[in-house]
Amino acid sequence: MADFDATALAFKMACPSNTLLTDDKGLPGAYVQKAPKRLNELLTNGDSSIHPAFLVGSVEISKLLIGKFQGKAHNNRMYSLPGEDPTVYINHDTMVTYCRNKGDGHHCITASEWGFLALLAKKNGTIPLGNNNYGKDVSETERIAIPTYKDSNGQTCRVATGTGPLTWSDTHDISGIFDLNGNIWEWIADIRLVYGELQVIPYNNAAHPLCDMSASSVEWKALNAQATSYADLFITPNGSGTTSGSVKLSWATNHWQWQSAAIENAGQHDAAFAATTFSGLSDFCRRYLQALALGPDDEAVAADYNDDHFWANTGEAERCALRGGSWGYGAHRGVFSLNFNDPRSLSSNDVGGRPAFYE
């Protein structure tokens, strides 16, 4: 584990525009502050409402702090620190707990927060590259990050946080958030599939320290496919994935489709993220899914999302979300990559997460 004092000093010198945030034990982490944006600033047909990442308990917040680096665990707490081998072999619930252990406001990155970062990078033309091809980006020819874990063949797998080139940040400069593309998959705290039905924790409520995200929590809500506002968007699921009028994920002719009709071809599949379609959803509901980067923007083309892929299993009782990809996914990785294949109990050498904070 890094020497915290030395890390803090080095970070202040290298990234003076970022935030060095201490937890309730006085130990620092590196964060990037993000200000609110309206949906019409991020989506082609967005309205003037605030992005849902900035709504906690339906109350608008003025800023978010997102971990600049993938998380490193220390004394059952998750820290955002440069030059570290990110912590892996950590399941969903442990990741949530380790982030919350740092004090009120600290949390595991959420679906709306990740969606906001992805849309902002796309809008700014700075979609990040990353470690998706054994130590380098698939578009690169040389390894340019510091290896922290190699496989039995000597190939670089994980690399030290933030040690890639500036194009590996979401702003393509030193001020940005690193490794949203590749290195390790990142747990997303508040979104899941239940037999193919999409369920979420409303707004960005998962950032609140008292939010219950256990498998049986009553805070999980399905989405009303015909919603016209937040007032009627979140509905109580029936537990079997067949809630009347809810949004469901269906496999349709080699692509995923969000729809209100019963799902077809339940099981495990993957396809290009850009090919994802919407059927039978209200404009408000479609925009909500787009705001969470669960499907492409209106009028977007495949090249806008490179070849990021969307994996899911619609035949199981619960599948939680991972985003970003890891070191071996090549062209299918990226900030829009989405994985609903695995249960919350998954523990793997390429799965970890990222802390975040709100006041």
Side-chain angles (χ1 to χ4, degrees):
M1 185 62 197
D3 180 297
F4 278 98
D5 290 337
T7 297
L9 177 60
F11 176 75
K12 286 180 179 179
M13 294 174 64
C15 307
S17 64
N18 291 163
T19 299
L20 199 64
L21 180 69
T22 56
D23 63 8
D24 60 2
K25 298 294 186 183
L27 298 179
Y31 290 79
V32 177
Q33 181 173 313
K34 296 292 184 180
K37 295 286 185 183
R38 305 285 167 181
L39 291 183
N40 56 18
E41 298 178 89
L42 298 168
L43 296 172
T44 299
N45 293 312
D47 58 21
S48 61
S49 62
I50 203 75
H51 189 280
F54 295 88
L55 294 171
V56 178
S58 75
V59 175
E60 186 175 328
I61 60 175
S62 62
K63 64 181 178 180
L64 285 167
L65 296 174
I66 308 297
K68 187 176 181 71
F69 308 108
Q70 292 173 329
K72 180 69 175 181
H74 176 65
N75 287 344
N76 298 335
R77 288 157 173 259
M78 194 60 64
Y79 292 92
S80 166
L81 298 169
E84 295 285 346
D85 183 20
T87 293
V88 292
Y89 291 111
I90 186 167
N91 63 38
H92 174 278
D93 292 355
T94 302
M95 183 67 202
V96 168
T97 298
Y98 279 17
C99 290
R100 286 180 165 183
N101 283 348
K102 290 159 61 66
D104 287 355
H106 292 276
H107 60 277
C108 175
I109 194 169
T110 65
S112 57
E113 290 167 352
W114 187 284
F116 176 78
L117 297 177
L119 294 182
L120 189 60
K122 177 177 175 292
K123 186 72 173 181
N124 292 336
T126 56
I127 290 179
L129 304 181
N131 172 25
N132 50 59
N133 188 28
Y134 297 94
K136 60 185 184 298
D137 187 88
V138 70
S139 67
E140 298 166 346
T141 58
E142 298 181 0
R143 293 190 175 93
I144 43 181
I146 299 173
T148 57
Y149 168 72
K150 296 184 178 182
D151 64 18
S152 58
N153 295 319
Q155 293 188 104
T156 296
C157 297
R158 295 192 304 271
V159 299
T161 54
T163 62
L166 297 182
T167 51
W168 289 19
S169 89
D170 70 329
T171 55
H172 288 191
D173 61 35
I174 194 63
S175 70
I177 298 168
F178 278 79
D179 303 321
L180 292 167
N181 177 340
N183 207 30
I184 60 171
W185 285 103
E186 298 189 35
W187 283 115
I188 305 299
D190 59 345
I191 190 167
R192 67 182 185 176
L193 294 179
V194 174
Y195 296 113
E197 179 179 79
L198 182 65
Q199 295 184 6
V200 303
I201 300 294
Y203 307 108
N204 196 14
N205 292 357
H208 193 281
L210 298 182
C211 179
D212 181 3
M213 289 179 283
S214 63
S216 59
S217 171
V218 297
E219 296 193 49
W220 289 106
K221 301 298 179 185
L223 298 180
N224 173 12
Q226 297 304 314
T228 58
S229 69
Y230 282 119
D232 64 345
L233 178 62
F234 305 111
I235 57 178
T236 300
N238 65 11
S240 64
T242 57
T243 309
S244 177
S246 71
V247 175
K248 303 171 183 70
L249 184 64
S250 187
W251 182 249
T253 317
N254 298 319
H255 70 276
W256 289 112
Q257 179 166 279
W258 295 109
Q259 61 186 44
S260 59
I263 69 169
E264 302 169 7
N265 303 309
Q268 185 170 313
H269 308 279
D270 84 272
F273 175 89
T276 306
T277 56
F278 307 92
S279 177
L281 309 187
S282 67
D283 289 344
F284 181 87
C285 187
R286 185 187 73 256
R287 282 198 301 270
Y288 181 78
L289 297 181
Q290 291 170 330
L292 271 57
L294 299 181
D297 192 7
D298 298 341
E299 303 177 20
V301 297
D304 293 335
Y305 304 99
N306 299 317
D307 193 22
D308 290 10
H309 265 225
F310 183 172
W311 296 261
N313 188 334
T314 58
E316 299 295 335
E318 184 188 57
R319 287 295 181 262
C320 294
L322 297 161
R323 302 217 70 160
S326 66
W327 64 77
Y329 279 72
H332 297 338
R333 77 304 166 252
V335 70
F336 285 95
S337 295
L338 174 60
N339 187 342
F340 278 116
N341 263 344
D342 299 295
R344 65 176 59 217
S345 60
L346 175 69
S347 175
S348 174
N349 68 353
D350 66 345
V351 174
R354 183 182 305 265
F357 179 82
Y358 89 101
E359 292 181 347

